[in-house]
Amino acid sequence: MMRKMAARGLGRSTRFGFWLRAGLSALGFMLGALALPSTVTAADNSRRPNIVVILGDDLGYADLGAFGSEIRTPNMDSLAKQGVRFTNFYTNPTCSPTRATLLSGVDTHRNGLGNMDEWTAPNQRGAVGYEGHLNERVATLPQLLKDAGYHTYMVGKWHLGKSPDQIPRARGFERDFSLLDGAGSYWDMTNMTSASPLSVFTEDGRYLKELPKDYYATQTYTDKLIRFIDDHRGDGKPFFAYVAHQAPHDPFHLPADWRNRYAGVYEKGWDAVRKARLNRQIELGIMPAGTKLAERMWFVPDPIVLAPEKRALLAKKMELYAGMVENLDHHVGRLVDHLKKIGEYDNTIFIVFGDNGAEGTDLAESIAGTPGTRDALHFATKWPNNKPENWGDPGSYVGYGPMWAQVSMTPFSQYKGWVAEGGIRNALVVSGPIIRRPAGSINHGVMHVADIMPTLLEAAGVTYPAKTTAGQQLPPLMGKSWGPMLAGRAESPRTAQDYLGWEIFGNRAVRQGDWKIRWQYKPFGKGDWELFNLANDPAERSNLATEYPEKLGHMKALWVDYVKANNVILPSRSPFETLEFKLPPRVPDDEGYPPLIYKQQFEPPKDMWADPEPNQGHSR
């Protein structure tokens, strides 16, 4: 099937042949032009650590057992027990901006992903920082580490550009096996839209005509990485591995023996599961006692009022998702076991997190659009296998919706794409020789994905250069090294004066200390600034803008500073611009309202029951 699909795609176009020919010349040019004068400050005879960054795609804050989940994730939990869990770690609200910041250490509006390439607004086209791919104005973590003597490997989802000068090989990865698109099948090359029906993959800088036999994304990525590591064993060089898993991004594809491991677990409904996760988070120390859940999204029904068949069908979606997360953990365990087997585990830094909030939007519905359109036809022909009994198979497409996305983001508000905490706060695990804090401890310092680059450069003994070899000025790193904190000499990499800023699709936010402001499109927001104290209200239930006008003014001034510092261009168009008219009006979530549908059958006292008296009336 995969061979036939690839052959059909090649028959329609010669794009792969063009890329292969263009790649040979363009890659050589770019690799030379982008070589950077990084400085190795560690002694040459010291054993520098290996580095493994494990990125889950749309993996939720509360999806690991170590962060309160009922999903079995023993391997990532084991890394947490040997390392440190961080509860105030932030990414960007969507995937490619987070990945660009991770690999560049620079704000998304400066590194080329000021907006996702798929949603670049008309007024952003052609602007610096909005190229839609990781631009040439930034240095990359793998390039700096490679120049300093590291092997650099990548497997998984790239989503940062497709042309020969933008692929992983051109941006510093020595070896790679990469999906260049943002999503797609786990079984084959089937992609999401009629205009781009085939996903594009590279291996070691070459575009693939077809995928390996017996391809399954999560397993194949792990197989490839283990092979890369083994190919260079014994040469004395450390390695950096960027493991950018596609899982658990929809569609929920997984082998048959992984699909029913949570059968019946979720029929109790999303409210009950969310409450149970919060209780475990409080017990673990992830959340403080007294933490409240965010309001259930107003357009999501209370599962109690659904018919049993409907609840079971929606529960099956979450069963598949849980299987995806457990399968991801299984393959993380395969990698960890291999590193132990070859004697590299103890000298390896592990960083594990998700790239943004869980996905609550129905991506298939968003893309397929109106019946009669070309994308609706594409989904009908390329993703037709959608009976519930076939979910997980090739050709099926299923996500789990806003109700379960809120479960994955317990206890926070909202999910991916938004700048509420549910869109930008993620679970983070760090373990390995860089840690000097107690094993299994929890830290609540405010951290950001941009911090990873300076942290890892410091751990590797590499200095971030001021310029490229061509003399081009590099932007300063926006992150803060975690070195002192991981060593136990500080509780946070940030002072009370430091702040973080976000903007995507026109939604925007700033956090400084415990305070946060956010502006979001209606109906998820108010179309105006809201103010929250996250220390007392991590679920963002209480808007304090009216109560604290001076604090609001101070935070808005920080937003202006962020815009100027990072060339933020608010979009003239947004994917959320008509959402207010598509969803029902926003109403409060008051438990048990309206009583009409919650009041149980009235039962009189047992001693007052009686049979009716015989009818004494006239017969008719």
Side-chain angles (χ1 to χ4, degrees):
M1 179 179 179
M2 292 179 288
R3 293 175 184 269
K4 291 180 181 179
M5 291 183 64
R8 287 197 298 268
L10 288 169
R12 287 191 299 267
S13 171
T14 59
R15 57 180 180 170
F16 284 104
F18 166 76
W19 281 333
L20 287 171
R21 291 190 299 271
L24 295 176
S25 57
L27 284 177
F29 170 77
M30 288 302 300
L31 288 174
L34 291 177
L36 295 158
S38 59
T39 303
V40 181
T41 59
D44 291 339
N45 60 357
S46 64
R47 191 176 181 215
R48 290 182 290 168
N50 305 313
I51 300 164
V52 174
V53 174
I54 298 172
L55 188 64
D57 196 353
D58 296 352
L59 182 69
Y61 183 93
D63 282 335
L64 303 185
F67 280 79
S69 180
E70 71 293 333
I71 301 173
R72 294 178 289 271
T73 55
N75 297 295
M76 289 184 278
D77 292 351
S78 179
L79 293 175
K81 290 176 183 176
Q82 297 178 40
V84 182
R85 283 166 286 175
F86 298 90
T87 67
N88 266 299
F89 171 70
Y90 287 95
T91 61
N92 289 311
T94 57
C95 45
S96 51
T98 290
R99 292 156 199 269
T101 300
L102 164 65
L103 295 179
S104 70
V106 173
D107 186 84
T108 184
H109 300 90
R110 302 186 72 179
N111 64 31
L113 273 296
N115 201 342
M116 294 183 70
D117 180 50
E118 297 86 347
W119 295 103
T120 304
N123 67 318
Q124 295 169 337
R125 293 172 189 161
V128 173
Y130 294 81
E131 292 86 352
H133 61 267
L134 190 61
N135 66 32
E136 72 282 0
R137 296 175 178 85
V138 297
T140 69
L141 177 60
Q143 186 67 60
L144 294 176
L145 292 176
K146 182 181 177 184
D147 292 346
Y150 270 72
H151 290 301
T152 54
Y153 312 135
M154 183 202 162
V155 292
K157 172 177 153 182
W158 178 241
H159 204 190
L160 295 175
K162 292 183 179 180
S163 68
D165 59 341
Q166 299 165 6
I167 61 177
R169 172 61 69 90
R171 302 315 304 261
F173 285 105
E174 177 183 1
R175 304 287 305 274
D176 82 283
F177 184 91
S178 305
L179 166 68
L180 302 187
D181 294 270
S185 173
Y186 286 67
W187 299 110
D188 51 46
M189 285 182 160
T190 307
N191 202 358
M192 307 295 292
T193 67
S194 175
S196 184
L198 291 177
S199 295
V200 184
F201 290 78
T202 60
E203 184 167 19
D204 294 342
R206 306 280 291 187
Y207 295 89
L208 293 181
K209 298 177 181 179
E210 61 184 14
L211 294 172
K213 294 180 179 179
D214 301 321
Y215 174 82
Y216 173 69
T218 315
Q219 176 174 317
T220 301
Y221 297 152
T222 307
D223 292 344
K224 292 289 185 180
L225 178 57
I226 289 173
R227 182 177 301 174
F228 296 163
I229 293 170
D230 284 351
D231 283 348
H232 295 128
R233 276 177 60 192
D235 66 4
K237 294 175 66 173
F239 65 82
F240 165 64
Y242 174 41
V243 193
H245 277 292
Q246 190 175 342
H249 194 297
D250 57 344
F252 297 162
H253 285 171
L254 69 167
D257 59 335
W258 288 87
R259 297 177 195 171
N260 297 311
R261 299 185 178 210
Y262 293 86
V265 170
Y266 297 106
E267 291 188 16
K268 67 187 74 172
W270 36 91
D271 284 2
V273 179
R274 200 157 62 116
K275 289 176 183 177
R277 288 195 180 189
L278 177 57
N279 288 338
R280 283 192 290 272
Q281 288 176 336
I282 292 172
E283 292 171 5
L284 291 169
I286 300 296
M287 286 291 150
T291 298
K292 294 181 179 180
L293 288 169
E295 290 185 306
R296 186 194 330 117
M297 305 298 287
W298 72 98
F299 53 88
V300 171
D302 185 333
I304 292 175
V305 307
L306 297 180
E309 294 82 2
K310 182 66 172 180
R311 286 176 62 181
L313 190 66
L314 293 174
K316 184 175 177 65
K317 295 183 176 184
M318 185 62 192
E319 292 171 17
L320 290 168
Y321 179 84
M324 292 276 288
V325 174
E326 186 176 351
N327 181 267
L328 169 63
D329 182 79
H330 166 73
H331 290 290
V332 169
R334 288 181 56 220
L335 173 61
V336 169
D337 289 344
H338 186 72
L339 293 178
K340 289 179 179 179
K341 180 181 177 181
I342 65 175
E344 293 292 346
Y345 173 80
D346 290 336
N347 192 43
T348 300
I349 298 168
F350 291 90
I351 299 178
V352 183
F353 63 100
D355 62 347
N356 42 243
E359 178 63 272
T361 302
D362 188 330
L363 187 58
E365 181 180 352
S366 300
I367 294 174
T370 306
T373 63
R374 66 180 188 178
D375 284 325
L377 178 62
H378 175 78
F379 259 80
T381 56
K382 300 299 183 182
W383 302 93
N385 201 16
N386 284 313
K387 292 182 179 180
E389 60 267 27
N390 298 330
W391 287 350
D393 283 343
S396 66
Y397 199 105
V398 60
Y400 66 175
M403 62 287 292
W404 296 116
Q406 277 206 282
V407 170
S408 289
M409 297 313 299
T410 302
F412 304 125
S413 175
Q414 305 177 18
Y415 38 74
K416 178 180 177 180
W418 302 90
V419 292
E421 293 294 282
I424 56 178
R425 203 191 298 199
N426 294 84
L428 171 69
V429 172
V430 182
S431 71
I434 198 173
I435 298 290
R436 293 293 182 269
R437 304 181 77 90
S441 60
I442 295 172
N443 177 274
H444 305 290
V446 177
M447 302 160 72
H448 192 271
V449 65
D451 302 340
I452 292 176
M453 185 159 175
T455 301
L456 293 181
L457 290 178
E458 182 179 274
V462 178
T463 300
Y464 180 72
K467 298 180 179 180
T468 67
T469 53
Q472 179 176 311
Q473 191 77 28
L474 288 171
L477 295 176
M478 67 168 284
K480 306 278 188 177
S481 172
W482 299 338
M485 184 187 61
L486 296 177
R489 299 193 301 271
E491 288 304 308
S492 174
R494 287 178 168 77
T495 69
Q497 285 71 45
D498 291 327
Y499 73 89
L500 297 171
W502 295 266
E503 186 277 325
I504 189 75
F505 309 139
N507 295 326
R508 60 211 82 150
V510 173
R511 175 170 179 172
Q512 184 184 52
D514 293 331
W515 290 94
K516 176 184 174 182
I517 56 170
R518 75 181 196 205
W519 189 107
Q520 297 194 132
Y521 279 94
K522 295 178 181 179
F524 278 49
K526 295 181 177 297
D528 199 357
W529 289 106
E530 300 173 82
L531 175 69
F532 303 96
N533 187 311
L534 298 178
N536 305 320
D537 182 24
E540 297 170 296
R541 295 180 69 99
S542 300
N543 177 15
L544 304 175
T546 301
E547 188 173 349
Y548 295 96
E550 291 185 4
K551 175 58 71 173
L552 176 64
H554 168 73
M555 298 294 287
K556 288 169 67 175
L558 294 179
W559 162 253
V560 172
D561 182 72
Y562 174 75
V563 169
K564 292 179 180 178
N566 294 287
N567 188 37
V568 176
I569 302 172
L570 292 177
S572 58
R573 300 291 306 275
S574 170
F576 304 130
E577 61 192 11
T578 62
L579 192 60
E580 180 182 7
F581 310 108
K582 295 178 181 179
L583 290 175
R586 186 169 179 173
V587 294
D589 171 30
D590 290 316
E591 191 170 359
Y593 183 85
L596 171 67
I597 61 175
Y598 288 96
K599 283 191 174 181
Q600 299 294 314
Q601 173 69 48
F602 174 71
E603 295 285 346
K606 290 183 178 180
D607 60 354
M608 294 184 69
W609 284 100
D611 293 321
E613 294 291 336
N615 188 359
Q616 300 298 321
H618 298 288
S619 61
R620 295 183 180 180

